[in-house]
Amino acid sequence: MHLLTYRADGDPTPRLGARLDGDRIADLTTLATASGVRIPTDLLGLIRAGEPALTTARELLAAAPAGRPLAEVSLCAPLRPGKIVGVGLNYVEHVAESHRTLDTDRELPDRPVLFGKPSTAVTGPGEPILHNADLTKQLDWECELAVVIGAPAFRVAETDALRHVFGYSIVNDISARDQRRSGQWFFSKGQDSYAPFGPVVVTADEIPDPQRLDLSLKVNGEPRQDSNTRHMLFGVARLIADISSGATLEPGDVIATGSPSGVGAGMVPPQFLQPGDLVEATIERIGTLANPVIDAR
């Protein structure tokens, strides 16, 4: 299933839906009411309700009518994560470009490099990335596979880790490169709008191997990143095992699994986002997450 959150018809209340074939969507709450069954009304609730709720959702969608055109609605971020765990330096070529341009270590890390992004950084498809020139002159992009946790994970073995995944999405790990403070990344990566997220969450059964996905990013239609998740230093299962060795991952938490090379700081000369830009992050089998950049001073 391709699950999403949307608004429509002037109603400010977010609704739980699913993307159907042909760029149409079905409203799961409406389908449930018509069928006389109960289902959570938001994606986080659906995740927490576990497999019985997922089974109900699948049954509703199997019998769903054609739905309405996706173009008629406004997509929101699929959910507000409890926490976002970011992963730095998780592709070999990005390690090299980061050492060259951002003064990070030359050697490949022997354990995942982790940092946090607050849930307030989340913004949805089509919503703006805030460029505040009073705070940054180096606003950068990073297309990343997002892992949405489905079952609590603490001290999980790598061999069991993927059983704790609900699904996959896209995070654009926006970074103010000139706001790293004594090596700390929170303000560089945690400001409002610095975690565009979406457009959908694809359930794990539709992506049995998360290490075989093409990912790319464009700025104003020009290619900037182009890679595949097989090039991760630490795959999804290893990341879950490492993070959960000391911190519980809860349903709805998101792991942003790291960026390939091709970031703005690594270009010669460096190029950074400016108001008026459009950033499009694409991952195979998930879709495209597009966000405009606006002046937020």
Side-chain angles (χ1 to χ4, degrees):
M1 289 183 292
H2 291 219
L3 298 167
L4 52 84
T5 300
Y6 74 98
R7 294 187 178 96
D9 305 321
D11 185 350
T13 304
R15 301 187 64 85
L16 174 62
R19 187 171 67 193
L20 307 174
D21 292 338
D23 283 333
R24 303 183 74 85
I25 68 166
D27 186 288
L28 280 165
T29 305
T30 299
L31 292 174
T33 300
S35 300
V37 299
R38 300 187 67 178
I39 195 169
T41 58
D42 62 87
L43 184 51
L44 184 56
L46 187 71
I47 294 170
R48 289 173 172 166
E51 191 57 39
L54 271 182
T55 299
T56 298
R58 291 189 181 99
E59 292 171 349
L60 291 171
L61 291 173
R68 66 188 301 175
L70 186 60
E72 292 183 359
V73 307
S74 298
L75 295 184
C76 310
L79 57 94
R80 176 65 67 88
K83 55 182 172 289
I84 304 169
V85 182
V87 182
L89 306 174
N90 201 28
Y91 287 74
V92 174
E93 292 181 353
H94 184 52
V95 173
E97 74 175 356
S98 294
H99 171 71
R100 186 179 71 251
T101 60
L102 296 171
D103 300 321
T104 56
D105 289 341
R106 178 192 301 273
E107 294 77 18
L108 298 181
D110 56 7
R111 294 190 65 185
V113 177
L114 305 176
F115 59 92
K117 291 174 83 86
S119 62
T120 49
V122 168
T123 193
E127 295 179 345
I129 297 166
L130 305 179
H131 185 293
N132 185 344
D134 294 332
L135 293 177
T136 181
K137 303 294 191 295
Q138 299 180 1
L139 195 64
D140 210 342
W141 57 82
E142 294 187 341
C143 176
E144 306 194 4
L145 176 67
V147 179
V148 180
I149 297 299
F154 182 66
R155 296 181 179 174
V156 170
E158 188 171 342
T159 53
D160 295 328
L162 294 185
R163 298 178 185 176
H164 295 260
V165 175
F166 177 84
Y168 301 94
S169 189
I170 304 170
V171 164
N172 189 351
D173 178 17
I174 299 297
S175 307
R177 301 295 187 190
D178 46 0
Q179 281 289 350
R180 291 179 296 154
R181 301 179 178 184
S182 299
Q184 298 300 309
W185 294 356
F186 180 83
F187 202 67
S188 170
K189 291 176 172 288
Q191 295 182 48
D192 287 6
S193 82
Y194 280 21
F197 176 37
V200 299
V201 174
V202 179
T203 50
D205 58 297
E206 296 201 15
I207 302 179
D209 185 355
Q211 307 305 150
R212 293 174 179 252
L213 299 172
D214 290 333
L215 69 168
S216 61
L217 182 140
K218 296 179 180 179
V219 178
N220 301 326
E222 298 182 4
R224 291 290 183 262
Q225 294 185 287
D226 187 9
S227 189
N228 188 285
T229 56
R230 67 175 177 270
H231 298 304
M232 286 183 189
L233 286 172
F234 307 104
V236 171
R238 173 70 183 280
L239 293 174
I240 293 171
D242 184 80
I243 296 165
S244 73
S245 67
T248 299
L249 290 167
E250 299 177 309
D253 286 350
V254 168
I255 303 172
T257 57
S259 170
S261 61
V263 300
M267 300 180 69
V268 182
Q271 296 185 25
F272 298 106
L273 294 171
Q274 302 297 330
D277 287 344
L278 178 68
V279 190
E280 298 171 284
T282 300
I283 298 183
E284 179 185 2
R285 304 182 71 174
I286 298 173
T288 295
L289 173 65
N291 297 89
V293 182
I294 68 167
D295 190 333
R297 286 178 295 182

